[in-house]
Each structure stands twice: as structure tokens, then as C-alpha cells.
Amino acid sequence: MLRRKIAVLCLFTLLFSTGCGENTRQETEKIQTEDAGENREQEISDESVKLAEGYRSAYESAERNGQLDSLELKCEITEYLGDAGYAAVDMADLTNMVNYEQAEAFCESAEAGEENRVTIFAVMDKGAFIRYDMETQGGGIDVAVSSLRWENGSPNVYYYNEFTAHSWKYTEKGYLFIEEYRPPGYDGAPGEIAFRVKPLDETCRELNLRYVNPVGYKLNNLLITDWDEQDFSDLNFYDLYDKLYYIKYGEYVPYEPYEGAEYDIPAQEFEQVIQSYFRIGREQLAEKTIYDPENETYCYRPRGYHENELPYGPYPEVTAWEKQADGTLRLTVEAVWERRMADQAGVSELVVRPLGDGSFQYVSNRVTAYDESLKLPWHTPRLTDEEWQSYYGSGAGSSGDE
């Protein structure tokens, strides 16, 4: 009887200690995982700050010269990060990625289900960057994303997050798209990010920066409608006035954009902007605008609430170009829409005319392709005169001559 009691006691002791041991092991592993995560975050943060300190002189020089938002500073930082051994590119993909071979090898490994890792820096204005530390194994991609900015003269990592890509793809064109999951109803920034990995021809980059990117796709239809110098079709010159005014003068249109505002702009003022970039006479321009011949003014209405566009639309890149017999340049322009993980949301052929004084004119545009599967349009046209009157009434908000 005594032996039996001892055996039962030993059995209970064994079961109890085994259970406690399992719980203890699980708790230990959990703590170790948390510690490892904290250590990784700290290591990334420390390294990012150290890297930023390495380009402090470039940052401070740009700050003194009022060039913190310049592409030149972003290029200088990406080159520095490239020399430090990392893949890096400006956030807007206006330049080629340095050390792109690292990112390309990572994408190929992910497609093959092999193990690999890469760190990509996306450089922003004011010396800031977003850092993506990515690992792939078995076809999935794990991402640790962190952000650094300068505050009171010192670099500071202010954001860190880890996630497993909800979806990802590497396109034939050379774009890596990664999606972080967003639940239904989420009203923050979209979860998609994109990197052009394969480099573009440098001349295409230069042509895009000079002729295309300053206008782009936002709040205008230059690149998404067919037109030429004989028929400007549905081209909206009020939207282009907003864009071209900034390109010409380096300042925004000097008319307060409050809801229902209406201004009478002297013809010469309006035409100086439009005719700098289009070969168009007053008669043609008057057909596309609201022109008062008696007072020689154009009616101008800033876009209002009813003409807002969805945020996070596409951006353009020039992928090919050709100099034509008459001296004009035919540019193949493709829309990259990060939000839709599409590297060819639309394609058009834009013709520009370089002029002897270094300026240029837009000659024509022809849309050659559009991805109908995307469904969600990114462009919202301006209100017609009838629509504007229905919202604001005749004379509502009118400010007269400026």
C-alpha cells in the first residue's frame, strides 16, 4: 500500500512539474522573442541615427541655403547611403535606386521561395528617410519599417513597425510592390508601398523632371486626354493655369481658393502663363474658358469642395523618348499607381517642343493604353459653368477684378 501511494505521488509530481515546465518554457520563449524584437528595434534605431549623422554636413549646408526640399539633397543622401552599402532611392522615385542589385536579388529570392534579406532607404525632404528592413523565406516577406527625421538639429527615429506583407509582387517592368494589411473602414494612409528597382535610362529621368513631373496627373488632364494644337479637345486650361503658374514663377496662383470664389483675371496675365507653354491664340483659349471680350478678362474659379480628387493618385515616369524630324520630342509616359500596385495604370505619348531660349511648349498628347481593371478613377474634372452656378449661384463669392 505504501508503495502504491508513493507511486501515485510521484506520478502527480511528474505531471505537475511537466506542466509547469511547459508553461515556464513558453513564457521564457515569449520573453526572449520580445527581448529580441526590442533589441532589433534598438539596433536599427541606433544604426539609422549613426547613418544620419554621417550626412550631417550635407543637411546643415542645405538648411543654410534653404534647399532642404531639393532633389539635390536627396540625391546626396542616397549616394551616401549607397556608399555605406545600402540600397537607397528618393521617395518619389525620381532617380534610380543605388545598389539596386541588392533589391533585385531579394525579389528574385522571394519569387523562388528562397531565404534573403535587404534594407532599402526611401529618402524624403528635409533630410528624413523611411527605412525598410525586409526578410523573405518561403515566398513571404516580413518587413520592419522605421522613420527618421531631424528635430532641433538632431536625427531622431520616431516610428517603428513590423508586419508580414499581406501581398506583394515584383513586376516585369522592375517595380516591387508590398502591401500592409488595412482592415475595412480604415481611414489612414494606404498600406501599399512601391520601389522601382530596375534603373531607367538617365535621359528618360531628365526628360521626366523637366517636362512631365512638374504637371503630373494631379488636378489636371494634360496626360489623360487626346489633344493637339489644332484641337485642344477637353483640355482644361484652368487646371493648367494653376500648374503652369507655379512652374513659370515658382509661386502658387495669387487668388485665395475659398469655396465659391470667383475672380476676373486680366487677359494678359492669364495668357502670359498659358501661352508660355502652349501655341494657342486668344480666340482658341476663349473657347475653352469663360472670357469677357468687353473687359478683356478671364473668369477664374479655384477648385472647391465638389472638385476634390482622391489622395494617393499616380505619378508619371518617362520610359522612352524619340527626337522627331521637326525637332519636337515624343515621350512615352506611364502612370505608376502605388495605391493600386500598378506600374502601367495608363500610357500616353506626349509631344513637347523645346525652344531656343531653353523654354518649351506642349504640342500634343495621345492616350495609348489605360488599365480598365483598376476601376477607381483618379481624376475629378472641374465643375462646368452650369454645375458651378447650381452650387454657388450667380455671383456667389465673386471678388471682381484683382
Side-chain angles (χ1 to χ4, degrees):
M1 180 64 70
L2 180 59
R3 283 182 189 173
R4 184 177 297 175
K5 289 182 178 180
I6 293 174
V8 171
L9 180 61
C10 289
L11 178 60
F12 274 111
T13 302
L14 178 62
L15 290 174
F16 179 76
S17 61
T18 301
C20 289
E22 179 65 21
N23 291 338
T24 302
R25 183 181 67 80
Q26 292 175 350
E27 288 296 324
T28 300
E29 290 178 350
K30 180 180 179 182
I31 292 171
Q32 289 174 341
T33 300
E34 292 175 350
D35 288 344
E38 292 176 359
N39 290 338
R40 185 188 187 200
E41 179 179 351
Q42 189 62 52
E43 289 173 1
I44 288 175
S45 177
D46 291 344
E47 185 181 47
S48 292
V49 169
K50 183 178 179 180
L51 287 168
E53 287 288 356
Y55 60 79
R56 173 183 284 277
S57 60
Y59 169 83
E60 292 178 342
S61 175
E63 185 178 37
R64 287 192 300 270
N65 297 323
Q67 299 293 316
L68 283 177
D69 294 340
S70 68
L71 183 60
E72 288 74 17
L73 176 61
K74 289 192 276 286
C75 287
E76 191 169 350
I77 293 173
T78 57
E79 289 297 328
Y80 167 81
L81 294 170
D83 291 341
Y86 295 97
V89 68
D90 71 281
M91 189 70 178
D93 276 316
L94 293 176
T95 59
N96 286 330
M97 179 182 289
V98 297
N99 293 332
Y100 76 92
E101 298 90 348
Q102 297 177 16
E104 189 173 46
F106 175 83
C107 294
E108 292 171 353
S109 296
E111 290 179 323
E114 299 170 351
E115 185 175 351
N116 204 342
R117 62 178 59 190
V118 72
T119 298
I120 300 177
F121 287 87
V123 180
M124 302 185 292
D125 290 338
K126 298 177 173 56
F129 61 68
I130 301 177
R131 171 176 175 160
Y132 299 88
D133 290 273
M134 296 185 281
E135 298 180 0
T136 181
Q137 185 175 7
I141 295 181
D142 293 321
V143 184
V145 55
S146 54
S147 301
L148 177 143
R149 64 187 175 199
W150 289 77
E151 297 176 319
N152 300 319
S154 298
N156 174 50
V157 175
Y158 65 95
Y159 176 81
Y160 182 89
N161 178 42
E162 295 183 5
F163 66 91
T164 297
H166 181 64
S167 67
W168 68 272
K169 64 179 179 180
Y170 182 53
T171 69
E172 183 177 350
K173 184 177 170 180
Y175 267 90
L176 171 61
F177 291 96
I178 296 176
E179 178 191 10
E180 180 180 1
Y181 175 73
R182 295 288 190 255
Y186 182 83
D187 61 356
E192 297 81 13
I193 55 175
F195 305 97
R196 175 177 256 284
V197 176
K198 293 181 181 178
L200 261 175
D201 176 76
E202 287 296 342
T203 301
C204 287
R205 291 286 191 189
E206 294 170 7
L207 294 172
N208 185 47
L209 284 170
R210 178 162 180 74
Y211 301 122
V212 185
N213 189 71
V215 175
Y217 293 103
K218 186 177 181 181
L219 296 174
N220 78 95
N221 63 356
L222 179 78
L223 300 170
I224 60 174
T225 189
D226 293 349
W227 58 270
D228 58 37
E229 291 181 327
Q230 285 68 50
D231 179 10
F232 287 102
S233 189
D234 296 324
L235 206 57
N236 190 292
F237 284 102
Y238 287 118
D239 282 338
L240 289 169
Y241 178 71
D242 291 341
K243 292 283 186 174
L244 299 176
Y245 190 97
Y246 187 86
I247 296 173
K248 185 175 179 64
Y249 299 115
E251 299 175 352
Y252 292 106
V253 171
Y255 301 104
E256 186 179 354
Y258 62 85
E259 198 71 13
E262 185 177 49
Y263 299 91
D264 294 322
I265 301 178
Q268 184 179 12
E269 179 182 329
F270 189 78
E271 290 167 359
Q272 276 182 343
V273 173
I274 300 300
Q275 291 175 345
S276 292
Y277 300 95
F278 288 91
R279 184 176 287 179
I280 184 173
R282 177 174 295 182
E283 184 176 341
Q284 280 182 296
L285 191 54
E287 291 176 358
K288 299 296 178 184
T289 55
I290 303 174
Y291 176 67
D292 181 353
E294 183 177 344
N295 295 308
E296 294 191 337
T297 59
Y298 289 89
C299 176
Y300 170 75
R301 298 161 179 163
R303 276 180 174 255
Y305 171 80
H306 301 285
E307 300 156 298
N308 286 337
E309 287 184 347
L310 291 172
Y312 311 109
Y315 59 86
E317 64 177 16
V318 174
T319 57
W321 67 282
E322 174 190 1
K323 186 171 184 178
Q324 303 187 110
D326 61 358
T328 60
L329 303 175
R330 183 185 301 276
L331 314 178
T332 299
V333 184
E334 300 182 1
V336 179
W337 201 356
E338 188 174 89
R339 185 179 182 185
R340 291 300 179 197
M341 299 178 74
D343 60 13
Q344 285 183 322
V347 184
S348 69
E349 290 183 349
L350 177 70
V351 177
V352 297
R353 179 186 297 114
L355 301 176
D357 61 358
S359 61
F360 67 92
Q361 293 173 329
Y362 293 109
V363 178
S364 68
N365 186 71
R366 183 172 67 92
V367 178
T368 59
Y370 177 73
D371 191 343
E372 299 288 349
S373 67
L374 298 175
K375 300 183 185 300
L376 184 67
W378 68 72
H379 177 64
T380 299
R382 277 186 185 242
L383 297 176
T384 64
D385 185 47
E386 293 76 13
E387 290 170 334
W388 192 91
Q389 295 294 345
S390 70
Y391 282 117
Y392 305 110
S394 179
S398 176
S399 61
D401 292 339
E402 286 292 306

